[in-house]
Short mmCIF file of all heavy atoms in Angstrom, two decimals:
data_model
loop_
_atom_site.label_atom_id
_atom_site.label_comp_id
_atom_site.label_asym_id
_atom_site.label_seq_id
_atom_site.Cartn_x
_atom_site.Cartn_y
_atom_site.Cartn_z
N LEU A 55 63.85 55.13 -1.53
CA LEU A 55 65.24 55.53 -1.67
C LEU A 55 66.18 54.37 -1.35
O LEU A 55 65.76 53.33 -0.84
CB LEU A 55 65.52 56.72 -0.75
CG LEU A 55 64.60 57.95 -0.96
CD1 LEU A 55 65.02 59.08 -0.04
CD2 LEU A 55 64.60 58.40 -2.41
N GLU A 56 67.45 54.55 -1.65
CA GLU A 56 68.43 53.47 -1.50
C GLU A 56 68.53 52.97 -0.06
O GLU A 56 68.81 51.79 0.18
CB GLU A 56 69.81 53.94 -1.98
CG GLU A 56 69.88 54.17 -3.49
CD GLU A 56 71.27 54.57 -3.93
OE1 GLU A 56 72.16 54.71 -3.05
OE2 GLU A 56 71.49 54.74 -5.14
N ASP A 57 68.30 53.85 0.90
CA ASP A 57 68.37 53.43 2.30
C ASP A 57 67.05 52.88 2.83
O ASP A 57 66.91 52.61 4.02
CB ASP A 57 68.84 54.59 3.18
CG ASP A 57 67.86 55.77 3.16
OD1 ASP A 57 66.87 55.71 2.42
OD2 ASP A 57 68.11 56.75 3.89
N GLY A 58 66.08 52.71 1.92
CA GLY A 58 64.77 52.19 2.31
C GLY A 58 63.77 53.23 2.73
O GLY A 58 62.61 52.90 3.02
N THR A 59 64.17 54.50 2.73
CA THR A 59 63.27 55.59 3.13
C THR A 59 62.18 55.80 2.09
O THR A 59 62.44 55.77 0.88
CB THR A 59 64.05 56.90 3.32
OG1 THR A 59 65.02 56.70 4.35
CG2 THR A 59 63.12 58.05 3.70
N ILE A 60 60.97 56.03 2.54
CA ILE A 60 59.85 56.45 1.69
C ILE A 60 59.39 57.81 2.21
O ILE A 60 59.03 57.93 3.38
CB ILE A 60 58.70 55.44 1.72
CG1 ILE A 60 59.14 54.12 1.08
CG2 ILE A 60 57.47 56.00 1.00
CD1 ILE A 60 58.10 53.02 1.15
N VAL A 61 59.45 58.81 1.36
CA VAL A 61 59.06 60.16 1.78
C VAL A 61 57.54 60.25 1.80
O VAL A 61 56.88 60.09 0.77
CB VAL A 61 59.66 61.21 0.83
CG1 VAL A 61 59.20 62.61 1.24
CG2 VAL A 61 61.19 61.12 0.84
N ALA A 62 57.00 60.49 2.98
CA ALA A 62 55.54 60.50 3.17
C ALA A 62 55.23 61.21 4.47
O ALA A 62 56.12 61.44 5.30
CB ALA A 62 55.01 59.07 3.21
N PRO A 63 53.98 61.58 4.69
CA PRO A 63 53.59 62.12 6.00
C PRO A 63 53.96 61.16 7.12
O PRO A 63 54.00 59.94 6.92
CB PRO A 63 52.07 62.29 5.87
CG PRO A 63 51.84 62.48 4.41
CD PRO A 63 52.86 61.60 3.73
N GLY A 64 54.24 61.69 8.30
CA GLY A 64 54.70 60.88 9.41
C GLY A 64 53.62 60.16 10.16
O GLY A 64 53.87 59.66 11.26
N SER A 65 52.42 60.08 9.61
CA SER A 65 51.32 59.38 10.26
C SER A 65 51.19 57.97 9.69
O SER A 65 51.81 57.63 8.69
CB SER A 65 50.02 60.16 10.09
OG SER A 65 49.79 60.44 8.72
N SER A 66 50.37 57.14 10.32
CA SER A 66 50.25 55.73 9.93
C SER A 66 49.41 55.54 8.68
O SER A 66 48.52 56.35 8.36
CB SER A 66 49.60 54.95 11.08
OG SER A 66 50.40 54.98 12.23
N PHE A 67 49.70 54.45 7.96
CA PHE A 67 48.92 53.98 6.82
C PHE A 67 49.02 54.93 5.62
O PHE A 67 49.46 56.06 5.74
CB PHE A 67 47.45 53.77 7.18
CG PHE A 67 47.18 53.04 8.46
CD1 PHE A 67 46.08 53.34 9.23
CD2 PHE A 67 48.04 52.04 8.92
CE1 PHE A 67 45.81 52.67 10.41
CE2 PHE A 67 47.78 51.36 10.10
CZ PHE A 67 46.67 51.68 10.85
N ALA A 68 48.60 54.48 4.46
CA ALA A 68 48.48 55.28 3.24
C ALA A 68 49.75 56.06 2.92
O ALA A 68 49.67 57.20 2.49
CB ALA A 68 47.28 56.24 3.35
N ASN A 69 50.90 55.45 3.13
CA ASN A 69 52.17 56.15 2.94
C ASN A 69 53.01 55.61 1.80
O ASN A 69 54.12 56.10 1.56
CB ASN A 69 53.00 56.08 4.23
CG ASN A 69 52.47 57.01 5.31
OD1 ASN A 69 51.82 58.00 5.00
ND2 ASN A 69 52.72 56.67 6.56
N LEU A 70 52.53 54.60 1.08
CA LEU A 70 53.33 54.00 0.02
C LEU A 70 53.15 54.76 -1.29
O LEU A 70 52.08 55.31 -1.57
CB LEU A 70 52.93 52.53 -0.17
CG LEU A 70 53.11 51.66 1.08
CD1 LEU A 70 52.61 50.25 0.82
CD2 LEU A 70 54.57 51.63 1.52
N PRO A 71 54.19 54.80 -2.15
CA PRO A 71 54.07 55.55 -3.41
C PRO A 71 53.35 54.75 -4.48
O PRO A 71 53.36 53.52 -4.49
CB PRO A 71 55.54 55.78 -3.79
CG PRO A 71 56.27 54.62 -3.18
CD PRO A 71 55.54 54.29 -1.90
N GLY A 72 52.72 55.47 -5.42
CA GLY A 72 52.06 54.83 -6.55
C GLY A 72 50.80 54.10 -6.13
O GLY A 72 50.14 54.45 -5.15
N PHE A 73 50.43 53.07 -6.91
CA PHE A 73 49.28 52.25 -6.57
C PHE A 73 49.65 51.30 -5.44
O PHE A 73 50.69 50.62 -5.49
CB PHE A 73 48.81 51.46 -7.79
CG PHE A 73 48.26 52.33 -8.88
CD1 PHE A 73 49.05 52.63 -10.00
CD2 PHE A 73 46.98 52.85 -8.81
CE1 PHE A 73 48.55 53.44 -11.01
CE2 PHE A 73 46.48 53.67 -9.82
CZ PHE A 73 47.28 53.96 -10.93
N ALA A 74 48.82 51.24 -4.41
CA ALA A 74 49.16 50.44 -3.23
C ALA A 74 47.89 49.86 -2.61
O ALA A 74 46.77 50.32 -2.88
CB ALA A 74 49.90 51.30 -2.20
N LEU A 75 48.10 48.86 -1.77
CA LEU A 75 46.99 48.18 -1.11
C LEU A 75 46.82 48.68 0.32
O LEU A 75 47.79 49.00 1.00
CB LEU A 75 47.23 46.67 -1.09
CG LEU A 75 47.37 45.98 -2.44
CD1 LEU A 75 47.59 44.48 -2.22
CD2 LEU A 75 46.16 46.22 -3.32
N GLY A 76 45.56 48.72 0.76
CA GLY A 76 45.26 48.94 2.16
C GLY A 76 45.16 47.61 2.86
O GLY A 76 46.16 47.00 3.22
N MET A 77 43.94 47.10 3.00
CA MET A 77 43.79 45.79 3.64
C MET A 77 42.42 45.21 3.29
O MET A 77 41.52 45.91 2.84
CB MET A 77 43.93 45.89 5.15
CG MET A 77 42.79 46.64 5.85
SD MET A 77 43.04 46.70 7.66
CE MET A 77 41.50 47.48 8.19
N ALA A 78 42.30 43.91 3.51
CA ALA A 78 41.01 43.23 3.53
C ALA A 78 40.65 43.02 5.00
O ALA A 78 41.47 42.55 5.78
CB ALA A 78 41.07 41.91 2.80
N ASN A 79 39.44 43.38 5.35
CA ASN A 79 38.97 43.31 6.74
C ASN A 79 37.72 42.43 6.77
O ASN A 79 36.75 42.71 6.06
CB ASN A 79 38.66 44.71 7.24
CG ASN A 79 38.29 44.78 8.70
OD1 ASN A 79 37.69 45.74 9.14
ND2 ASN A 79 38.66 43.79 9.48
N VAL A 80 37.76 41.34 7.54
CA VAL A 80 36.62 40.42 7.65
C VAL A 80 36.22 40.35 9.12
O VAL A 80 37.03 40.00 9.98
CB VAL A 80 36.97 39.01 7.13
CG1 VAL A 80 35.76 38.09 7.25
CG2 VAL A 80 37.45 39.07 5.68
N ILE A 81 34.96 40.69 9.39
CA ILE A 81 34.47 40.73 10.77
C ILE A 81 33.29 39.78 10.92
O ILE A 81 32.24 39.96 10.30
CB ILE A 81 34.03 42.16 11.16
CG1 ILE A 81 35.17 43.15 10.93
CG2 ILE A 81 33.58 42.19 12.62
CD1 ILE A 81 34.74 44.60 11.07
N ALA A 82 33.47 38.77 11.74
CA ALA A 82 32.38 37.86 12.08
C ALA A 82 31.89 38.20 13.48
O ALA A 82 32.70 38.36 14.40
CB ALA A 82 32.86 36.41 12.03
N ALA A 83 30.58 38.31 13.62
CA ALA A 83 30.01 38.66 14.93
C ALA A 83 28.79 37.80 15.19
O ALA A 83 28.03 37.47 14.27
CB ALA A 83 29.64 40.14 14.97
N TYR A 84 28.60 37.45 16.44
CA TYR A 84 27.43 36.69 16.85
C TYR A 84 26.82 37.40 18.05
O TYR A 84 27.45 37.53 19.10
CB TYR A 84 27.84 35.26 17.23
CG TYR A 84 26.71 34.27 17.10
CD1 TYR A 84 26.06 34.07 15.88
CD2 TYR A 84 26.30 33.52 18.19
CE1 TYR A 84 25.04 33.15 15.75
CE2 TYR A 84 25.28 32.58 18.07
CZ TYR A 84 24.66 32.40 16.84
OH TYR A 84 23.64 31.49 16.72
N GLU A 85 25.61 37.88 17.86
CA GLU A 85 24.96 38.71 18.86
C GLU A 85 23.77 37.99 19.46
O GLU A 85 22.77 37.71 18.78
CB GLU A 85 24.50 40.02 18.22
CG GLU A 85 23.81 40.98 19.19
CD GLU A 85 23.29 42.23 18.51
OE1 GLU A 85 23.49 42.35 17.27
OE2 GLU A 85 22.67 43.06 19.18
N GLY A 86 23.88 37.69 20.74
CA GLY A 86 22.76 37.10 21.45
C GLY A 86 22.10 38.11 22.35
O GLY A 86 22.55 39.25 22.48
N GLU A 87 21.03 37.70 22.99
CA GLU A 87 20.33 38.60 23.89
C GLU A 87 21.21 38.98 25.08
O GLU A 87 21.21 40.12 25.54
CB GLU A 87 19.05 37.94 24.40
CG GLU A 87 18.22 38.83 25.32
CD GLU A 87 16.95 38.15 25.79
OE1 GLU A 87 16.73 36.98 25.42
OE2 GLU A 87 16.17 38.79 26.50
N LYS A 88 22.04 38.03 25.53
CA LYS A 88 22.91 38.27 26.68
C LYS A 88 24.39 38.26 26.34
O LYS A 88 25.17 39.01 26.94
CB LYS A 88 22.63 37.21 27.76
CG LYS A 88 21.37 37.45 28.58
CD LYS A 88 21.57 38.64 29.53
CE LYS A 88 20.40 38.81 30.46
NZ LYS A 88 20.60 39.98 31.36
N VAL A 89 24.80 37.39 25.43
CA VAL A 89 26.22 37.22 25.16
C VAL A 89 26.48 37.24 23.65
O VAL A 89 25.57 37.05 22.84
CB VAL A 89 26.76 35.91 25.77
CG1 VAL A 89 26.62 35.93 27.27
CG2 VAL A 89 26.04 34.71 25.16
N GLY A 90 27.75 37.45 23.29
CA GLY A 90 28.13 37.44 21.89
C GLY A 90 29.63 37.53 21.74
O GLY A 90 30.37 37.55 22.73
N PHE A 91 30.09 37.56 20.48
CA PHE A 91 31.52 37.68 20.23
C PHE A 91 31.76 38.46 18.95
O PHE A 91 30.87 38.60 18.09
CB PHE A 91 32.19 36.30 20.14
CG PHE A 91 31.95 35.59 18.81
CD1 PHE A 91 32.77 35.86 17.71
CD2 PHE A 91 30.94 34.66 18.67
CE1 PHE A 91 32.56 35.21 16.50
CE2 PHE A 91 30.73 34.01 17.47
CZ PHE A 91 31.55 34.29 16.37
N VAL A 92 32.99 38.95 18.79
CA VAL A 92 33.45 39.60 17.57
C VAL A 92 34.82 39.04 17.23
O VAL A 92 35.70 39.00 18.10
CB VAL A 92 33.52 41.13 17.72
CG1 VAL A 92 34.24 41.76 16.52
CG2 VAL A 92 32.13 41.73 17.86
N ALA A 93 34.99 38.57 15.99
CA ALA A 93 36.29 38.14 15.47
C ALA A 93 36.60 39.01 14.25
O ALA A 93 35.94 38.89 13.22
CB ALA A 93 36.28 36.67 15.09
N ASP A 94 37.57 39.90 14.40
CA ASP A 94 37.90 40.92 13.39
C ASP A 94 39.30 40.61 12.85
O ASP A 94 40.30 40.76 13.55
CB ASP A 94 37.85 42.29 14.07
CG ASP A 94 38.19 43.44 13.14
OD1 ASP A 94 38.65 43.20 12.01
OD2 ASP A 94 38.02 44.60 13.55
N LEU A 95 39.36 40.16 11.58
CA LEU A 95 40.63 39.75 10.97
C LEU A 95 41.05 40.73 9.88
O LEU A 95 40.19 41.27 9.17
CB LEU A 95 40.51 38.35 10.38
CG LEU A 95 40.00 37.25 11.33
CD1 LEU A 95 40.03 35.90 10.62
CD2 LEU A 95 40.83 37.21 12.60
N VAL A 96 42.35 40.96 9.75
CA VAL A 96 42.87 41.90 8.76
C VAL A 96 43.98 41.24 7.96
O VAL A 96 44.79 40.47 8.48
CB VAL A 96 43.38 43.19 9.42
CG1 VAL A 96 42.22 44.01 9.95
CG2 VAL A 96 44.36 42.90 10.55
N PHE A 97 44.02 41.57 6.65
CA PHE A 97 45.03 41.06 5.74
C PHE A 97 45.53 42.22 4.90
O PHE A 97 44.74 42.96 4.31
CB PHE A 97 44.45 39.98 4.81
CG PHE A 97 43.76 38.85 5.52
CD1 PHE A 97 42.44 38.97 5.93
CD2 PHE A 97 44.43 37.66 5.75
CE1 PHE A 97 41.80 37.92 6.57
CE2 PHE A 97 43.79 36.62 6.40
CZ PHE A 97 42.48 36.75 6.81
#
Side-chain angles (χ1 to χ4, degrees):
L55 304 183
E56 292 183 357
D57 62 357
T59 299
I60 294 176
V61 177
S65 53
S66 297
F67 314 147
N69 286 335
L70 301 176
F73 294 101
L75 300 180
M77 69 179 185
N79 185 200
V80 181
I81 305 170
Y84 205 58
E85 181 183 359
E87 182 179 2
K88 282 288 186 181
V89 298
F91 77 85
V92 170
D94 179 350
L95 306 184
V96 290
F97 306 83

